[in-house]
Structure formats: C-alpha cells, structure tokens
Amino acid sequence: MQESDQKTQWQKIQQQLSYTFRTSKFYQDVLQQNSIQVDNIISYEEFSKLPITTKEQLQQYNEDFISIPQQDIIDHVTTSGTLGEPVSFYLNEYDLERLAENESRSFKLAGITKHDKVLITTTLDRRFMAGMAYFLGLRKLGAGAIRTGGGLPGLQWESIFRFKPKYIIAVPSFLLKLIQYAEENQIDYRNSSIQSAICIGEPLRTSNFELNSLGQRISSLWDIELFSTYASTEMATAFTECNQHQGNHVQEDLIYTEILDQDGKHVADGEIGELVVTPLNVQSMPLIRFATGDILTYTDTPCNCGRKGRRLGPVIGRKQQKIKLKGTSLYPQHIIEILNRFNELENFIIEVSLNEIGGDQLKILIPESFREIESLKEHLKAFLNVLPEISFEDSKTLQQLKFPASSRKPKIFYDLR
C-alpha cells in the first residue's frame, strides 16, 4: 500500500475506533476491563494490541454490539450459522448504502458494467445479507438484475433464454446442477448468453490460484469465466477476483485486514494465518479486530491488473474445524478437494465426530450405488495419508444433507464434535 493510501486508511481506522468506543456497549466494556485509553491508540502498533473479538463474544453479547437506536434499524439479517447458532445482524440506511458501494465495486472488478444483465440465483429472503447486497450492488452500478433465487434449474434456464444475461451469480456446485439439468433436458447450455459466473459460498481455487477440482469440473463442461469471491455477514464486505484471477482484492478503504498466527503475530506474505478484520464506515454493528476463524494466505504485491493493495488467497479451512486423524492434521476443504478430484464420485458428505476416547473420527458418506470403493480408498490414502471410515447412504438422504431446507448454501461438512 502506498504511503498516502496507508495514511488515508489509518484515518478511517481512527474514525471507526472513535465511533465504536463512543456508541457500542460491548466495546466500552472492553476498554474498561482492559484499562485501555483510546487516546493512546495512535498507530498500527497500538491498534494491534487491542483485544481480538471472537465469534463466541458476538453470539453471547449480541445486543451489546448494536451502536444505533433500534428505530434506525431497517434490515435484520443473520449469519449462516456454519459454526453454531446464527447470529443476528442489523443494518441502517447508511450500512445498506455501504453494502451497495462494496458490491458495485466488486462487480466492476469482475467486468460487469451498466450495460450488462446478471442472473442472481441466490436467495434474497431467509435473512440472507448477500442476496440483498448483490441486488443493491447491481442497482447502484445500473446493471440489469434478474432475481430468480435459489434452486429451480428449469426456471433458471428459462430466464437465461428469455432475458439473455451475460453473468450469473451462483454457488459453484449449483452450476453443476444447472449443467446436469440442461443435459438431461436437451438444453443447449454451451450456446447460451452466459459468459461468466460470479461464484459464491464455495472455494473455487487452490492456494496458488489455479482452479481446484470443482472449478476444473465446471470449466471442462461449460466454457465460461469463473470469478471467485469471499465474504461473510460479519465482515459486511466482499473480496472479489479481477480478470487476472490471482487472489481476491481487498477494498482497503472499507475494511482493514490482518492475517495472524497462533500467537497473534502478523504472518509474512504467502504464509498461512487466520483472517482478522475491522470493517470501516460501519454504523449499526461495528466490529474491531474480529477473528473470522478462516485460515488463508495473502499477498501485498501489485496485481497484474495494475491495482495495488492486498489480495487474499482462498480459504484453506476454518480454525475451529481442524481435524486431527491418526496424527495427521486436516481441514474439511482439503478433504473436499481430494474427493472432488475423484470424478467417479458425484456426491458425498463428510462427518467428523468424537470416538470413545475423545479423538476425532472421520466418516465419508457416499451413494449406495457407488461401485469404485477400492479405487476410492486408494485415492484417499494417497492424498490424505490416512483412510477415513466410508459409509453408504441412499442418494435422496445425501441430497437432503447437502441441501438442507434451512440452509442458504450447500452443506458438505458436518462437525458433530
């Protein structure tokens, strides 16, 4: 980051700190309990000594984070609840405008202009912040939005051929469902208007920015450009790839990012750490040094697209989802990637639980009709160095587990510990 940009960002951090400590009961308590003087936070070094805010604190003291009058709240949403019960989040008019600005910029990164039409295949209901953000961002950009919502492949294809959108916003695994539906119903999807997909909810690339197995499978069937994104409700900010596909750009005037090791020290460029964020220009529920639990890498080198500033690598795993199996450390995303490489296996669920002595027990549920079991075992041994338990389930149950009615995105990993 250039010195002028760093100075501007620090000013925004100071403004956010001043506002938050003045309006948030939770952070006023943090100051008092830790004997912190706001006037002493005059540099990044002092800022980095502030206590980390955890997901557990956000859940336990949820209402104490609200920094505006209740009557100013105009949008009520919740987190997805991946690591527990969903957490309530609130936005006022100012925050919704910030959300629109963030998504508008993100769509520009992917090449969307006001002349384009975009099919939104994610829900705008179910208390989902992202669905609203996509619509608001396209509206601010002036692009055309087609709001089909989740599921219903038939409606998606009818909408594509009716309105001819150039872009589609979708979960990657849903793109595979669209392809399957098209093939089963003789739909000429390869000659549709869709040229690019803004992919959400599932990692699309490896740590060296190559398409992972899921991305490769989509690309082998449908020759469209795939853009990776990363976001969460708590961050109220999205990180999106440009056309160079070399990491998700950080909008540094909207969010401050730290990637920390287990001791709370910032890791070097390219090293793995936990993403800790401070969203900027937020009014309703500001967060200071919020630990996302997401493990990833970053780079501060300029992008080939000409933009300077930080880029984030794909999420490698969640800190709380780390699995220790027979001395080997694993993250769910690593297991998912290995299973996606085995093309004969089209559907699966991963479960981790505790065995009778309190150790991690890993089970992979696969369809009853699957016949390449020995080849799958060899594949898992080769890439994981350990062999999880393999269990058969009927296809209907697997589908229900993967797409539960209450979930806003596919659920492949179940942590039962």
Side-chain angles (χ1 to χ4, degrees), residues 18 28 75 88 100 135 146 158 174 238 242 300 313 372 390 393:
S18 176
Q28 288 169 356
D75 196 34
S88 300
F135 176 71
I146 304 160
E158 195 275 338
F174 184 63
C242 66
D300 284 331
E372 303 293 329
I390 297 175
E393 275 289 353

Side-chain angles (χ1 to χ4, degrees), residues 122-344:
T122 60
T123 181
L124 269 73
D125 55 11
R126 300 187 186 180
R127 308 184 309 215
F128 191 35
M129 178 190 281
M132 176 64 77
Y134 303 140
F135 176 71
L136 292 176
L138 291 173
R139 184 169 179 260
K140 186 174 183 65
L141 187 59
I146 304 160
R147 297 177 289 108
T148 50
L152 304 174
L155 174 64
Q156 309 294 352
W157 283 117
E158 195 275 338
S159 300
I160 289 171
F161 285 100
R162 176 186 291 268
F163 297 111
K164 297 179 174 52
K166 181 179 177 181
Y167 291 83
I168 181 172
I169 299 173
V171 175
S173 57
F174 184 63
L175 291 176
L176 288 175
K177 288 188 70 176
L178 285 180
I179 293 169
Q180 181 183 4
Y181 182 92
E183 290 176 341
E184 291 173 352
N185 292 273
Q186 291 76 52
I187 295 173
D188 188 11
Y189 65 93
R190 292 189 178 91
N191 289 313
S192 72
S193 60
I194 299 294
Q195 296 181 25
S196 302
I198 312 298
C199 295
I200 67 166
E202 293 175 330
L204 197 65
R205 299 190 181 277
T206 64
S207 56
N208 62 357
F209 306 127
E210 299 293 329
L211 285 175
N212 62 18
S213 298
L214 180 57
Q216 290 175 14
R217 186 178 296 185
I218 295 167
S219 291
S220 68
L221 296 169
W222 199 2
D223 186 22
I224 58 176
E225 189 170 10
L226 302 176
F227 287 89
S228 175
T229 67
Y230 165 58
S232 75
T233 302
E234 297 96 333
M235 295 189 294
T237 312
F239 308 92
T240 304
E241 286 183 329
C242 66
N243 60 8
Q244 297 299 305
H245 305 291
Q246 293 293 302
N248 297 329
H249 285 269
V250 177
Q251 299 181 43
E252 294 179 315
D253 61 331
L254 293 180
I255 193 166
Y256 177 60
T257 58
E258 304 171 79
I259 295 83
L260 307 181
D261 62 18
Q262 291 184 341
D263 298 321
K265 305 296 184 183
H266 206 287
V267 302
D269 191 316
E271 292 184 351
I272 295 172
E274 179 182 8
L275 177 65
V276 173
V277 298
T278 302
L280 306 174
N281 298 336
V282 170
Q283 290 188 352
S284 301
M285 286 188 70
L287 298 175
I288 305 297
R289 304 197 76 212
F290 175 74
T292 66
D294 291 335
I295 306 299
L296 42 70
T297 61
Y298 76 97
T299 180
D300 284 331
T301 59
C303 181
N304 291 336
C305 72
R307 295 178 179 88
K308 297 179 173 63
R310 179 161 294 177
R311 286 170 285 138
L312 302 181
V315 174
I316 297 167
R318 290 183 184 269
K319 189 175 182 179
Q320 290 176 257
Q321 292 179 337
K322 185 177 180 179
I323 302 164
K324 197 79 170 178
L325 188 66
K326 298 177 182 177
T328 300
S329 296
L330 303 169
Y331 284 106
Q333 187 52 45
H334 178 56
I335 304 169
I336 292 169
E337 171 66 11
I338 297 304
L339 290 169
N340 279 333
R341 289 185 199 172
F342 199 81
N343 293 328
E344 293 84 353

Side-chain angles (χ1 to χ4, degrees), residues 373-387:
I373 185 68
E374 293 305 319
S375 296
L376 176 61
K377 287 181 178 179
E378 291 178 9
H379 178 80
L380 291 170
K381 281 182 184 177
F383 290 100
L384 295 180
N385 296 319
V386 290
L387 183 61

